[in-house]
Amino acid sequence: MDLIETLRTTGAVRDFHPDPVPDEVLHRILDTARFAPNGGNRQAWRVITVADPDLRRGLRDLYLPGWYDYLAMGAAGLTPWAPVTDRDAETRAVKAAPAIAAAAAEGPGGFAEHLDEVPALLVVLADLRRLAAVDRDLPRYTLVGGASIYPFVWSLLLAARAEGLAGVMTTMVVRQEAGVKALLDIPEHVAVAAVVALGRPVHQPTRLRREPVEAFTTVDRLDGPSLRVGE
Ligand SMILES: Cc1cc2nc3c(=O)[nH]c(=O)nc-3n(C[C@H](O)[C@H](O)[C@H](O)COP(=O)(O)O)c2cc1C
């Protein structure tokens, strides 16, 4: 596929045909993803491919609480877990989560409730001893460390697409990191970054909704004029 076209059309996929993803294919995908950029080339990523059904169900159970909180906060018009937010509004919003969970339990369930059934489940970790987190000491929420892991995840998703596969990066289980670490024997110095679901897509979304460049790019100052061309 054309690179630009691929970058513009690789949407999140959560519905898969049931055929498994052979380890050989997973290996090929990871073999490409490992060329992702990362701070100091320390390659802090670690990956666990989770095949055991009990472990998969364990991961699903750790995913669900975050998912229902996410839905509750979204329904209240909040950006879930934004580092800068109205914490009181958040506390009020998540009170609706148990009702959302109960309603979901009555229905057929979606991606979250069936997470254990996706063809391939990859837990992506970060070795904190290898993460060049230059904003570590700033008096604000840190985000640079993740930038050494998530490009790897994105490369993984792009490499999967080249194999006729698709998927989604998820982070809900990070709300329950201690549980994930206990489940998968992950030591203290290793953090949980994401769970990636992969498989053969029922449908590959290609018309993605994103803001135009002018909405997020300005000249010289954050409140400067939007970067515009061709006017
Ligand atoms: C850091 C990050 C965390 C995400 N976490 C989840 C998640 O926990 N569950 C999920 O279903 N999708 C998750 N997503 C997928 C986003 O929902 C998706 O990228 C976004 O809605 C855009 O979807 P689109 O590319 O299909 O337009 C996550 C994506 C990113 C980049």
Side-chain angles (χ1 to χ4, degrees):
M1 275 187 83
D2 173 70
L3 175 61
I4 297 297
E5 179 68 10
T6 306
L7 290 171
R8 294 177 73 106
T9 63
T10 304
V13 168
R14 301 181 182 84
D15 286 318
F16 305 102
H17 290 290
D19 23 315
V21 181
D23 282 350
E24 195 183 308
V25 175
L26 278 184
H27 191 282
R28 255 197 322 265
I29 290 169
L30 293 163
D31 192 37
T32 296
R34 73 194 165 96
F35 293 99
N38 64 96
N41 203 17
R42 302 292 294 153
Q43 302 163 60
W45 49 71
R46 294 291 177 270
V47 179
I48 303 174
T49 67
V50 184
D52 179 276
D54 287 335
L55 295 177
R56 282 170 155 255
R57 280 190 286 275
L59 277 179
R60 175 204 58 195
D61 293 346
L62 292 162
Y63 185 100
L64 288 173
W67 173 237
Y68 298 130
D69 284 352
Y70 172 89
L71 291 178
M73 287 189 265
L78 300 169
T79 297
W81 304 294
V84 178
T85 193
D86 180 343
R87 292 277 185 153
D88 293 336
E90 210 172 84
T91 304
R92 283 193 300 279
V94 296
K95 291 199 172 118
I100 294 172
E106 298 297 313
F111 170 75
E113 290 78 15
H114 295 281
L115 185 71
D116 55 308
E117 297 163 33
V118 303
L121 261 189
L122 278 62
V123 178
V124 182
L125 309 167
D127 184 334
L128 300 178
R129 298 169 308 185
R130 290 173 166 259
L131 219 52
V134 298
D135 58 351
R136 185 194 61 189
D137 302 320
L138 294 185
R140 62 143 170 84
Y141 171 81
T142 69
L143 70 156
V144 175
S148 283
I149 303 295
Y150 296 118
F152 167 83
V153 176
W154 180 229
S155 291
L156 195 162
L157 287 166
L158 293 173
R161 195 159 177 211
E163 296 277 352
L165 303 175
V168 61
M169 165 183 344
T170 78
T171 47
M172 292 301 158
V173 300
V174 179
R175 295 293 299 170
Q176 310 288 333
E177 185 178 64
V180 179
K181 289 171 89 159
L183 188 72
L184 303 176
D185 290 338
I186 298 166
E188 196 168 342
H189 64 272
V190 176
V192 179
V195 170
V196 180
L198 285 181
R200 191 160 63 83
V202 170
H203 168 68
Q204 172 69 62
T206 54
R207 290 176 62 85
L208 312 184
R209 285 187 305 120
R210 299 291 190 270
E211 296 287 333
V213 172
E214 293 75 12
F216 60 85
T217 311
T218 52
V219 181
D220 285 339
R221 300 272 186 280
L222 184 55
D223 62 355
S226 293
L227 180 71
R228 292 181 193 281
V229 289
E231 281 180 9

PDB file of all heavy atoms in Angstrom, residues 199-214:
ATOM      1  N   GLY A 199      -6.326  -9.010  14.504  1.00  0.00           N
ATOM      2  CA  GLY A 199      -6.982 -10.118  13.820  1.00  0.00           C
ATOM      3  C   GLY A 199      -7.317  -9.720  12.402  1.00  0.00           C
ATOM      4  O   GLY A 199      -6.945  -8.632  11.937  1.00  0.00           O
ATOM      5  N   ARG A 200      -8.024 -10.614  11.723  1.00  0.00           N
ATOM      6  CA  ARG A 200      -8.461 -10.278  10.362  1.00  0.00           C
ATOM      7  C   ARG A 200      -9.737  -9.468  10.488  1.00  0.00           C
ATOM      8  O   ARG A 200     -10.708  -9.931  11.107  1.00  0.00           O
ATOM      9  CB  ARG A 200      -8.680 -11.568   9.550  1.00  0.00           C
ATOM     10  CG  ARG A 200      -8.876 -11.322   8.062  1.00  0.00           C
ATOM     11  CD  ARG A 200      -8.588 -12.582   7.268  1.00  0.00           C
ATOM     12  NE  ARG A 200      -9.502 -13.669   7.584  1.00  0.00           N
ATOM     13  CZ  ARG A 200     -10.723 -13.830   7.070  1.00  0.00           C
ATOM     14  NH1 ARG A 200     -11.192 -12.946   6.202  1.00  0.00           N
ATOM     15  NH2 ARG A 200     -11.479 -14.855   7.407  1.00  0.00           N
ATOM     16  N   PRO A 201      -9.736  -8.230   9.964  1.00  0.00           N
ATOM     17  CA  PRO A 201     -10.875  -7.336  10.217  1.00  0.00           C
ATOM     18  C   PRO A 201     -12.130  -7.765   9.478  1.00  0.00           C
ATOM     19  O   PRO A 201     -12.055  -8.209   8.338  1.00  0.00           O
ATOM     20  CB  PRO A 201     -10.381  -5.990   9.679  1.00  0.00           C
ATOM     21  CG  PRO A 201      -9.345  -6.334   8.655  1.00  0.00           C
ATOM     22  CD  PRO A 201      -8.696  -7.603   9.123  1.00  0.00           C
ATOM     23  N   VAL A 202     -13.274  -7.600  10.160  1.00  0.00           N
ATOM     24  CA  VAL A 202     -14.549  -7.774   9.476  1.00  0.00           C
ATOM     25  C   VAL A 202     -14.703  -6.611   8.500  1.00  0.00           C
ATOM     26  O   VAL A 202     -15.191  -6.763   7.387  1.00  0.00           O
ATOM     27  CB  VAL A 202     -15.706  -7.804  10.503  1.00  0.00           C
ATOM     28  CG1 VAL A 202     -17.060  -7.745   9.816  1.00  0.00           C
ATOM     29  CG2 VAL A 202     -15.591  -9.054  11.381  1.00  0.00           C
ATOM     30  N   HIS A 203     -14.247  -5.439   8.929  1.00  0.00           N
ATOM     31  CA  HIS A 203     -14.319  -4.243   8.100  1.00  0.00           C
ATOM     32  C   HIS A 203     -13.158  -3.331   8.508  1.00  0.00           C
ATOM     33  O   HIS A 203     -12.895  -3.183   9.702  1.00  0.00           O
ATOM     34  CB  HIS A 203     -15.670  -3.551   8.350  1.00  0.00           C
ATOM     35  CG  HIS A 203     -15.742  -2.173   7.780  1.00  0.00           C
ATOM     36  ND1 HIS A 203     -15.756  -1.942   6.422  1.00  0.00           N
ATOM     37  CD2 HIS A 203     -15.796  -0.964   8.377  1.00  0.00           C
ATOM     38  CE1 HIS A 203     -15.808  -0.633   6.218  1.00  0.00           C
ATOM     39  NE2 HIS A 203     -15.830  -0.019   7.387  1.00  0.00           N
ATOM     40  N   GLN A 204     -12.476  -2.767   7.532  1.00  0.00           N
ATOM     41  CA  GLN A 204     -11.382  -1.828   7.848  1.00  0.00           C
ATOM     42  C   GLN A 204     -11.879  -0.399   7.664  1.00  0.00           C
ATOM     43  O   GLN A 204     -12.097   0.046   6.533  1.00  0.00           O
ATOM     44  CB  GLN A 204     -10.182  -2.090   6.930  1.00  0.00           C
ATOM     45  CG  GLN A 204      -9.059  -1.056   7.031  1.00  0.00           C
ATOM     46  CD  GLN A 204      -8.299  -1.101   8.346  1.00  0.00           C
ATOM     47  OE1 GLN A 204      -7.680  -2.096   8.671  1.00  0.00           O
ATOM     48  NE2 GLN A 204      -8.362  -0.020   9.106  1.00  0.00           N
ATOM     49  N   PRO A 205     -12.119   0.337   8.760  1.00  0.00           N
ATOM     50  CA  PRO A 205     -12.551   1.725   8.582  1.00  0.00           C
ATOM     51  C   PRO A 205     -11.447   2.553   7.936  1.00  0.00           C
ATOM     52  O   PRO A 205     -10.288   2.467   8.342  1.00  0.00           O
ATOM     53  CB  PRO A 205     -12.830   2.211  10.005  1.00  0.00           C
ATOM     54  CG  PRO A 205     -12.172   1.246  10.910  1.00  0.00           C
ATOM     55  CD  PRO A 205     -11.909  -0.016  10.154  1.00  0.00           C
ATOM     56  N   THR A 206     -11.813   3.304   6.912  1.00  0.00           N
ATOM     57  CA  THR A 206     -10.805   4.085   6.204  1.00  0.00           C
ATOM     58  C   THR A 206     -11.140   5.576   6.133  1.00  0.00           C
ATOM     59  O   THR A 206     -10.308   6.382   5.758  1.00  0.00           O
ATOM     60  CB  THR A 206     -10.624   3.556   4.758  1.00  0.00           C
ATOM     61  OG1 THR A 206     -11.897   3.540   4.122  1.00  0.00           O
ATOM     62  CG2 THR A 206     -10.011   2.178   4.735  1.00  0.00           C
ATOM     63  N   ARG A 207     -12.388   5.916   6.494  1.00  0.00           N
ATOM     64  CA  ARG A 207     -12.738   7.342   6.487  1.00  0.00           C
ATOM     65  C   ARG A 207     -12.699   7.835   7.929  1.00  0.00           C
ATOM     66  O   ARG A 207     -13.681   7.712   8.666  1.00  0.00           O
ATOM     67  CB  ARG A 207     -14.136   7.550   5.878  1.00  0.00           C
ATOM     68  CG  ARG A 207     -14.154   7.276   4.375  1.00  0.00           C
ATOM     69  CD  ARG A 207     -15.553   7.399   3.812  1.00  0.00           C
ATOM     70  NE  ARG A 207     -16.099   8.743   3.963  1.00  0.00           N
ATOM     71  CZ  ARG A 207     -15.884   9.737   3.108  1.00  0.00           C
ATOM     72  NH1 ARG A 207     -15.139   9.539   2.049  1.00  0.00           N
ATOM     73  NH2 ARG A 207     -16.409  10.917   3.303  1.00  0.00           N
ATOM     74  N   LEU A 208     -11.566   8.348   8.328  1.00  0.00           N
ATOM     75  CA  LEU A 208     -11.356   8.695   9.734  1.00  0.00           C
ATOM     76  C   LEU A 208     -11.699  10.159   9.981  1.00  0.00           C
ATOM     77  O   LEU A 208     -11.426  11.014   9.138  1.00  0.00           O
ATOM     78  CB  LEU A 208      -9.902   8.424  10.123  1.00  0.00           C
ATOM     79  CG  LEU A 208      -9.346   7.054   9.711  1.00  0.00           C
ATOM     80  CD1 LEU A 208      -7.935   6.876  10.249  1.00  0.00           C
ATOM     81  CD2 LEU A 208     -10.241   5.923  10.189  1.00  0.00           C
ATOM     82  N   ARG A 209     -12.284  10.418  11.126  1.00  0.00           N
ATOM     83  CA  ARG A 209     -12.641  11.793  11.483  1.00  0.00           C
ATOM     84  C   ARG A 209     -11.493  12.422  12.262  1.00  0.00           C
ATOM     85  O   ARG A 209     -11.136  11.960  13.347  1.00  0.00           O
ATOM     86  CB  ARG A 209     -13.921  11.806  12.322  1.00  0.00           C
ATOM     87  CG  ARG A 209     -15.191  11.548  11.500  1.00  0.00           C
ATOM     88  CD  ARG A 209     -16.439  11.729  12.337  1.00  0.00           C
ATOM     89  NE  ARG A 209     -16.427  10.897  13.536  1.00  0.00           N
ATOM     90  CZ  ARG A 209     -16.477  11.361  14.775  1.00  0.00           C
ATOM     91  NH1 ARG A 209     -16.536  12.649  15.010  1.00  0.00           N
ATOM     92  NH2 ARG A 209     -16.475  10.535  15.795  1.00  0.00           N
ATOM     93  N   ARG A 210     -10.896  13.452  11.707  1.00  0.00           N
ATOM     94  CA  ARG A 210      -9.831  14.176  12.400  1.00  0.00           C
ATOM     95  C   ARG A 210     -10.001  15.663  12.100  1.00  0.00           C
ATOM     96  O   ARG A 210     -10.512  16.040  11.051  1.00  0.00           O
ATOM     97  CB  ARG A 210      -8.443  13.727  11.918  1.00  0.00           C
ATOM     98  CG  ARG A 210      -8.115  12.252  12.149  1.00  0.00           C
ATOM     99  CD  ARG A 210      -7.934  11.900  13.615  1.00  0.00           C
ATOM    100  NE  ARG A 210      -7.386  10.556  13.784  1.00  0.00           N
ATOM    101  CZ  ARG A 210      -8.117   9.451  13.893  1.00  0.00           C
ATOM    102  NH1 ARG A 210      -9.438   9.519  13.849  1.00  0.00           N
ATOM    103  NH2 ARG A 210      -7.528   8.273  14.037  1.00  0.00           N
ATOM    104  N   GLU A 211      -9.505  16.481  13.013  1.00  0.00           N
ATOM    105  CA  GLU A 211      -9.529  17.928  12.817  1.00  0.00           C
ATOM    106  C   GLU A 211      -8.575  18.307  11.683  1.00  0.00           C
ATOM    107  O   GLU A 211      -7.542  17.647  11.495  1.00  0.00           O
ATOM    108  CB  GLU A 211      -9.066  18.640  14.090  1.00  0.00           C
ATOM    109  CG  GLU A 211      -9.964  18.431  15.295  1.00  0.00           C
ATOM    110  CD  GLU A 211     -11.263  19.200  15.196  1.00  0.00           C
ATOM    111  OE1 GLU A 211     -11.275  20.248  14.513  1.00  0.00           O
ATOM    112  OE2 GLU A 211     -12.255  18.748  15.782  1.00  0.00           O
ATOM    113  N   PRO A 212      -8.871  19.381  10.944  1.00  0.00           N
ATOM    114  CA  PRO A 212      -7.936  19.826   9.891  1.00  0.00           C
ATOM    115  C   PRO A 212      -6.677  20.438  10.498  1.00  0.00           C
ATOM    116  O   PRO A 212      -6.669  20.836  11.671  1.00  0.00           O
ATOM    117  CB  PRO A 212      -8.749  20.894   9.142  1.00  0.00           C
ATOM    118  CG  PRO A 212      -9.739  21.380  10.131  1.00  0.00           C
ATOM    119  CD  PRO A 212     -10.059  20.230  11.041  1.00  0.00           C
ATOM    120  N   VAL A 213      -5.634  20.511   9.698  1.00  0.00           N
ATOM    121  CA  VAL A 213      -4.340  21.055  10.142  1.00  0.00           C
ATOM    122  C   VAL A 213      -4.516  22.423  10.802  1.00  0.00           C
ATOM    123  O   VAL A 213      -3.918  22.725  11.848  1.00  0.00           O
ATOM    124  CB  VAL A 213      -3.370  21.156   8.933  1.00  0.00           C
ATOM    125  CG1 VAL A 213      -2.094  21.903   9.316  1.00  0.00           C
ATOM    126  CG2 VAL A 213      -3.039  19.771   8.403  1.00  0.00           C
ATOM    127  N   GLU A 214      -5.351  23.272  10.199  1.00  0.00           N
ATOM    128  CA  GLU A 214      -5.542  24.641  10.706  1.00  0.00           C
ATOM    129  C   GLU A 214      -6.069  24.648  12.138  1.00  0.00           C
ATOM    130  O   GLU A 214      -5.899  25.623  12.870  1.00  0.00           O
ATOM    131  CB  GLU A 214      -6.532  25.414   9.817  1.00  0.00           C
ATOM    132  CG  GLU A 214      -6.028  25.685   8.416  1.00  0.00           C
ATOM    133  CD  GLU A 214      -6.055  24.450   7.517  1.00  0.00           C
ATOM    134  OE1 GLU A 214      -6.683  23.429   7.904  1.00  0.00           O
ATOM    135  OE2 GLU A 214      -5.426  24.489   6.452  1.00  0.00           O
TER     136      GLU A 214
END
